[in-house]
């Protein structure tokens, strides 16, 4: 029993609970209590290290296909088709995908897309900054709305903006005050939604001061949409993200189905958020439960239904379109060797987009399931490049990395490029807390003798900060990635359990697009240095004792 007690509880017990007979809540409760007890010993790495070899066996299994793959269908040509059992699958041509490389390119593209938009502008972000560059972005929106007033149908352009309530309300000049002028001038065309986590309520909401209340949970999705074009990123709408804060950005052009999906997703979250009014007050959508004053369970259930309706409806639509476009066309000419086309002369997809949603407060954990499965299924000889601006992986992710056989290169921020570096007060100690977490993980890698298989690298760039996150997967024997994850999650506790997150898995068999992703990954890693034991002997890696003591208590909040 002593040996069993050191196995990582969340991964092991989730596996065991699946085998319990239904209708036995007592057994489930018993295993839950045991899980809590075992979790307390998870840091004793010497006692549990050998069990990491069992990580793939103790993790969730790959979701079974709901239907056998069809040899006529393009999705049958890649090994990640199981993801379509959880979310809609969007097949597009690789020529519609462009990887951006710099904050300036991201900013200029957004301004141009807003000015050219005729139907819709949808912006989902943590917050909107208050500087001149952000004002210029708002001015672009106003110009586009003014142009729509001169059209025959003045309501032809709609603007929907989703931000976080706490982050967007910080200070006297904030995201809300930045957007009030266009909301007042175009009330029928502009909607500003402010998500308020249901977990910040009662005395907790009254006692936790501004800035610190953001640790309880946030709206963290970053999607920027203009008519049928979509930018997926981890970047927020703030000056540093437009100038010298490195992130990742993928531009999907002429992709109406994907644009419709994310429009509906933002609308669904907006419906369960507070609505900004012209007097700077907020109110709930008619008929909706209040996020922090009403019944929490009822609110979360209603939110779950709205979001899952978007996901399930899109899945149904995409399956129908797939059946219409591919099964029928291939049945008519099964032996044709000519270049294939889909629908209205569109080229056959060679790239597939899977939106991965994580909203644990609402009981939605699709991104977590897919990420764990990808880590578990990465076989010997495969290479995984994983990057995060805030290195604080969940225990399940760490165990899968330590216990599986693929090679890992993990890119994280050096203290100087951490977004909290130089911050005032307690926040100024956060980079040191990340150094402590990094050193603990590195020590475990060394203890297990995995230095050759798992390598940590720190991004460093003078005058810049680092916020890039995501994953690139190279199958065994391949020098190019066939899959990448890009979006808002940081792979940490907050991303999995507290915040609203969205990213996409992009799978492609097109060599040119694979090369784009490879170049993106290489450019990020070129500005990094490899972490060794000597790294933590440097003066700037010194971690004060109080930070070491406090980090285990607060690591789930940042």
């Amino acid at each position: 029993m002593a040996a069993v007690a050191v196995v990582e509880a969340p991964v092991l017990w989730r596996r065991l609970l699946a085998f319990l007979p239904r209708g036995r809540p007592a057994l489930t409760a018993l295993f839950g209590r045991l899980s809590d007890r075992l979790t307390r010993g998870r840091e004793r790495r010497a006692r549990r290290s050998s069990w990491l070899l069992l990580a793939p066996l103790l993790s969730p299994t790959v979701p079974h296909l709901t239907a056998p793959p069809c040899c006529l269908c393009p999705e049958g040509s890649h090994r990640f088709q199981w993801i379509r059992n959880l979310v809609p699958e969007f097949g597009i041509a690789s020529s519609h995908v462009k990887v951006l490389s710099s904050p300036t390119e991201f900013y200029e593209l957004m301004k141009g897309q807003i000015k050219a938009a005729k139907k819709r502008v949808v912006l989902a972000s943590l917050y909107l900054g208050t500087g001149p560059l952000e004002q210029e972005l708002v001015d672009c929106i106003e110009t586009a709305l003014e142009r729509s007033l001169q059209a025959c149908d003045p309501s032809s352009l709609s603007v929907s903006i989703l931000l976080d309530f706490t982050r967007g309300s910080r200070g006297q000049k904030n995201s809300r005050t930045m957007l009030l002028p266009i909301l007042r001038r175009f009330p029928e065309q502009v909607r500003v939604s402010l998500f308020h986590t249901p977990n910040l309520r009662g005395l907790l909401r009254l006692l936790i001061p501004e800035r610190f209340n953001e640790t309880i949970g946030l709206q963290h999705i970053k999607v920027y949409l203009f008519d049928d074009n979509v930018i997926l990123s981890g970047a927020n709408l703030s000056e540093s993200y437009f100038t010298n804060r490195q992130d990742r950005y993928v531009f999907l052009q002429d992709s109406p189905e994907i644009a419709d999906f994310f429009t509906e997703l933002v609308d669904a979250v907006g419906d369960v958020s507070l609505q900004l009014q012209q007097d700077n007050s907020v109110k709930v959508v008619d008929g909706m439960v209040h996020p922090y004053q009403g019944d929490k369970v009822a609110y979360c259930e209603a939110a779950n239904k709205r979001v899952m309706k978007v996901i399930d409806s899109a899945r149904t639509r995409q399956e129908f379109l797939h059946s219409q476009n591919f099964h029928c066309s291939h049945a008519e000419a099964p032996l044709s060797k000519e270049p294939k086309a889909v629908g209205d002369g569109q080229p056959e997809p060679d790239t597939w987009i899977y939106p991965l949603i994580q909203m644990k407060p609402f009981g939605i954990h699709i991104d977590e399931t897919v990420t764990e499965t990808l880590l578990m299924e990465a076989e010997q000889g495969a290479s995984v490049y994983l990057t995060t601006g805030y290195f604080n992986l969940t225990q399940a992710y760490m165990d899968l990395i330590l216990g599986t056989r693929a090679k890992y290169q993990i890119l994280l921020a050096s203290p100087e490029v951490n977004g909290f570096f130089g911050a005032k007060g307690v926040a100024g100690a956060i980079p040191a807390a990340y150094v402590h977490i990094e050193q603990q993980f590195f020590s475990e890698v060394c203890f297990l003798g995995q230095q050759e298989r798992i390598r940590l690298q720190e991004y460093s760039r003078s005058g810049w900060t680092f916020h890039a996150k995501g994953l690139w997967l190279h199958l065994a024997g391949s020098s190019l990635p066939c899959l990448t994850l890009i979006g808002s999650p940081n792979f940490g506790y907050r991303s999995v359990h507290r915040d609203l997150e969205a990213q996409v898995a992009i799978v492609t068999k097109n060599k040119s697009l694979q090369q784009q992703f490879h170049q993106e990954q290489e450019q990020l890693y070129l500005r990094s240095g490899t972490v060794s034991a000597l790294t933590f002997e440097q003066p700037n890696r010194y971690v004060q004792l109080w930070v070491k003591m406090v980090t285990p208590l607060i690591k789930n909040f940042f």
Side-chain angles (χ1 to χ4, degrees):
M1 291 298 295
V4 176
V6 298
V7 181
E8 169 51 31
V11 178
L12 172 62
W13 293 110
R14 185 164 60 245
R15 184 73 169 156
L16 291 178
L17 288 171
F19 291 96
L20 289 178
R22 297 192 178 188
R24 302 293 293 275
L27 279 176
T28 303
L30 175 61
F31 275 92
R33 292 193 190 99
L34 289 174
S35 173
D36 292 339
R37 283 175 173 266
L38 296 180
T39 303
R40 296 168 191 164
R42 67 176 62 167
E43 300 297 334
R44 301 171 186 174
R45 58 167 193 251
R47 294 177 58 196
R48 73 178 177 88
S49 59
S50 61
W51 287 91
L52 291 171
L53 300 175
L54 298 177
L57 301 177
L58 302 174
S59 299
T61 56
V62 178
H64 294 292
L65 288 173
T66 54
C70 172
C71 62
L72 298 178
C73 303
E75 70 269 316
S77 63
H78 68 81
R79 62 185 292 176
F80 306 102
Q81 57 190 16
W82 53 267
I83 305 177
R84 68 185 172 98
N85 298 314
L86 303 173
V87 296
E89 176 186 69
F90 300 99
I92 63 174
S94 56
S95 58
H96 292 189
V97 184
K98 180 181 180 182
V99 179
L100 311 181
S101 60
S102 72
T104 303
E105 188 179 9
F106 166 60
Y107 180 60
E108 294 299 328
L109 177 63
M110 264 207 305
K111 289 195 298 180
Q113 288 291 307
I114 291 172
K115 291 176 182 177
K118 295 180 174 59
K119 181 173 57 174
R120 59 188 170 189
V121 171
V122 179
L123 308 177
S125 184
L126 173 61
Y127 69 106
L128 171 71
T130 58
L133 294 184
E134 296 91 322
Q135 184 60 57
E136 190 174 344
L137 205 65
V138 175
D139 291 343
C140 289
I141 296 174
E142 186 170 18
T143 299
L145 288 167
E146 285 175 345
R147 187 189 64 240
S148 74
L149 283 178
Q150 300 170 4
C152 296
D153 182 8
S155 63
S156 59
L157 178 66
S158 66
V159 176
S160 178
I161 301 173
L162 171 65
L163 306 173
D164 181 72
F165 177 86
T166 53
R167 185 64 182 86
S169 303
R170 184 200 293 180
Q172 289 188 338
K173 186 178 182 181
N174 51 43
S175 304
R176 292 163 63 171
T177 59
M178 290 287 289
L179 294 169
L180 279 174
I182 61 171
L183 178 63
R184 288 167 176 163
R185 186 175 176 190
F186 306 97
E188 301 301 319
Q189 293 170 261
V190 177
R191 182 194 198 196
V192 179
S193 304
L194 302 164
F195 173 78
H196 191 295
T197 177
N199 295 324
L200 183 63
R201 56 177 50 230
L203 284 176
L204 191 66
R205 186 174 185 273
L206 295 175
L207 296 177
I208 298 184
E210 196 175 76
R211 294 179 66 95
F212 291 96
N213 58 10
E214 298 168 25
T215 63
I216 305 302
L218 295 167
Q219 191 308 109
H220 202 243
I221 297 169
K222 288 81 182 280
V223 174
Y224 308 112
L225 193 156
F226 322 93
D227 289 344
D228 293 336
N229 302 325
V230 183
I231 300 176
L232 298 163
S233 180
N236 291 304
L237 298 176
S238 181
E239 180 180 2
S240 61
Y241 293 92
F242 304 150
T243 54
N244 62 347
R245 187 155 170 78
Q246 183 63 59
D247 215 298
R248 297 180 63 208
Y249 334 85
V250 168
F251 183 40
L252 306 179
Q253 306 172 67
D254 191 22
S255 303
E257 291 88 1
I258 300 174
D260 288 346
F261 172 82
F262 280 109
T263 298
E264 292 172 13
L265 178 68
V266 171
D267 284 346
V269 177
D271 287 344
V272 298
S273 300
L274 299 170
Q275 306 301 308
L276 183 63
Q277 304 300 298
Q278 296 181 47
D279 61 356
N280 202 16
S281 65
V282 294
K283 73 172 186 178
V284 297
V285 174
D286 291 340
M288 272 303 301
V289 183
H290 197 285
Y292 62 84
Q293 290 180 348
D295 184 285
K296 180 180 176 181
V297 173
Y299 171 80
C300 291
E301 287 179 352
N304 175 286
K305 288 179 181 178
R306 292 200 177 220
V307 174
M308 288 308 300
K309 182 180 179 181
V310 172
I311 296 172
D312 293 338
S313 297
R315 271 191 70 207
T316 301
R317 284 199 307 269
Q318 290 308 114
E319 288 173 358
F320 176 77
L321 287 173
H322 166 80
S323 176
Q324 290 292 308
N325 290 334
F326 292 103
H327 289 201
C328 295
S329 61
H330 281 86
E332 293 171 0
L335 299 178
S336 174
K337 295 185 179 181
E338 295 298 320
K340 301 168 188 174
V342 178
D344 301 324
Q346 296 294 319
E348 179 181 288
D350 57 5
T351 300
W352 297 269
I353 310 294
Y354 301 94
L356 309 179
I357 311 303
Q358 184 76 11
M359 300 180 179
K360 213 58 169 289
F362 302 159
I364 300 170
H365 47 84
I366 297 170
D367 180 63
E368 178 187 11
T369 299
V370 172
T371 302
E372 286 187 357
T373 305
L374 289 173
L375 296 179
M376 180 188 70
E377 288 295 293
E379 74 274 22
Q380 186 170 4
S383 296
V384 177
Y385 294 82
L386 186 149
T387 178
T388 173
Y390 303 110
F391 183 74
N392 186 17
L393 302 180
T394 67
Q395 194 66 46
Y397 291 166
M398 284 194 290
D399 282 351
L400 287 168
I401 291 171
L402 292 168
T404 49
R405 296 179 294 177
K407 290 185 177 181
Y408 284 85
Q409 291 193 44
I410 302 174
L411 181 63
L412 47 104
S414 63
E416 295 78 12
V417 299
N418 187 292
F420 291 96
F421 185 75
K424 297 179 181 179
V426 178
I430 290 179
Y434 282 115
V435 169
H436 182 55
I437 295 169
E438 175 189 353
Q439 186 172 15
Q440 286 183 316
F441 181 75
F442 179 78
S443 298
E444 187 147 11
V445 170
C446 294
F447 181 85
L448 296 171
Q450 299 290 312
Q451 301 95 310
E452 294 299 317
R453 190 178 66 83
I454 303 170
R455 187 164 69 184
L456 296 181
Q457 295 180 241
E458 288 186 351
Y459 184 93
S460 181
R461 189 175 183 181
S462 178
W464 284 61
T465 55
F466 183 70
H467 196 250
K469 72 267 298 197
L471 178 151
W472 299 262
L473 175 61
H474 298 238
L475 296 179
S478 175
S479 61
L480 297 175
C482 64
L483 176 146
T484 189
L485 300 182
I486 179 170
S488 63
N490 279 296
F491 306 105
Y493 186 93
R494 285 200 56 162
S495 292
V496 172
H497 295 280
R498 295 185 180 278
D499 298 340
L500 304 191
E501 306 278 9
Q503 66 178 342
V504 294
I506 304 178
V507 180
T508 184
K509 61 182 181 180
N510 180 271
K511 295 298 181 183
S512 178
L513 182 55
Q514 290 178 357
Q515 188 65 43
Q516 278 195 67
F517 289 132
H518 181 60
Q519 290 175 351
E520 176 200 30
Q521 171 256 307
E522 275 195 327
Q523 289 302 311
L524 291 173
Y525 279 71
L526 278 174
R527 297 185 180 275
S528 69
T530 302
V531 174
S532 68
L534 295 176
T535 301
F536 302 102
E537 296 180 8
Q538 299 174 19
N540 62 344
R541 297 301 194 282
Y542 174 72
V543 181
Q544 294 179 303
L545 179 60
W546 74 268
V547 175
K548 293 181 180 180
M549 295 176 64
V550 170
T551 297
L553 303 176
I554 64 172
K555 64 184 294 185
N556 293 341
F557 292 91
F558 62 84

